[in-house]
Amino acid sequence: MKPNSRAALGAFALTIIAAATLGAGPALAHGPDSPSNNKGAAKTVTLTANLTELNGSGASGIATAVVRNQLIRHIEIHASGLTPDAPHAQHIHYGDQALNECPTLAQDTNGDGRLNTLEGVPAYGPVVVSLNTTGDTTPASFLDVTRFPVSQDGQLDYSRDHIEFTDVAGTGYPGAGGTGTAKQIADAIRDGEGVVVIHGIDYDGNGSYNFSDPEGASELNPALPAEATDPAACGVLR
Ligand SMILES: [Cu+2]
């Protein structure tokens, strides 16, 4: 990661929001009042995601979250097989119009053999929470890599308490900007529609995320290598 890439991160976040908004459409009947919303009705739930590899990363792990109303009281992620000693952006993704699933190579729309972050949005939606170590946890911190965990020998152990859901534009709800309220988004996450995604994959194993590697720059921001943003592991919080 280049030191001067941070200036581009704000633009990066805006890019993903704008891109996700393109997928916004009519409302579907799986809101908080839907009869299927059993976990949402319980108000406090413990969710678990089995994280499996994307892009042949070899990564796997587990995420657990305790969510009460609009608050993540506790979340932890334990994953192994990640690119060693490298920062890994990680988020909860969710979109009202998304499939609320992990993507497969069938979603590799440009046919380059890799699933990039944008190609996964129809499956997992845009970022709604940044699972970083300190400070702001909104989508604005989407790729502030200085605050994301660094794997130790490919092992990532993360925990954080007290993360509040916030209103997020581009989540596919009807109305201006496709904005979902904190309550709408939290209800959906408690209902099992959130997806944890860990990003960052050193495809060629040369020890760092590089622009010079065949993958080149990220599809989201030319100031970031694609290796830093491509998804490496994914699981649905149920
Ligand atoms: Cu993500």
Side-chain angles (χ1 to χ4, degrees), residues 131-173:
L131 297 173
N132 50 20
T133 54
T134 59
D136 172 75
T137 53
T138 72
S141 297
F142 183 35
L143 266 194
D144 185 349
V145 291
T146 62
R147 291 187 291 118
F148 281 109
V150 174
S151 65
Q152 307 294 319
D153 263 349
Q155 175 77 28
L156 184 155
D157 293 294
Y158 168 82
S159 74
R160 191 161 176 181
D161 294 329
H162 201 94
I163 296 175
E164 291 183 36
F165 285 98
T166 59
D167 298 357
V168 180
T171 40
Y173 286 89

Side-chain angles (χ1 to χ4, degrees), residues 4-59:
N4 66 356
S5 64
R6 284 197 62 186
L9 295 172
F12 183 94
L14 291 174
T15 301
I16 186 89
I17 288 168
T21 304
L22 295 175
L28 297 176
H30 60 203
D33 299 318
S34 152
S36 68
N37 193 7
N38 296 326
K39 283 192 171 180
K43 298 302 183 189
T44 303
V45 297
T46 299
L47 303 163
T48 302
N50 290 310
L51 307 175
T52 56
E53 68 172 0
L54 288 174
N55 287 314
S57 68

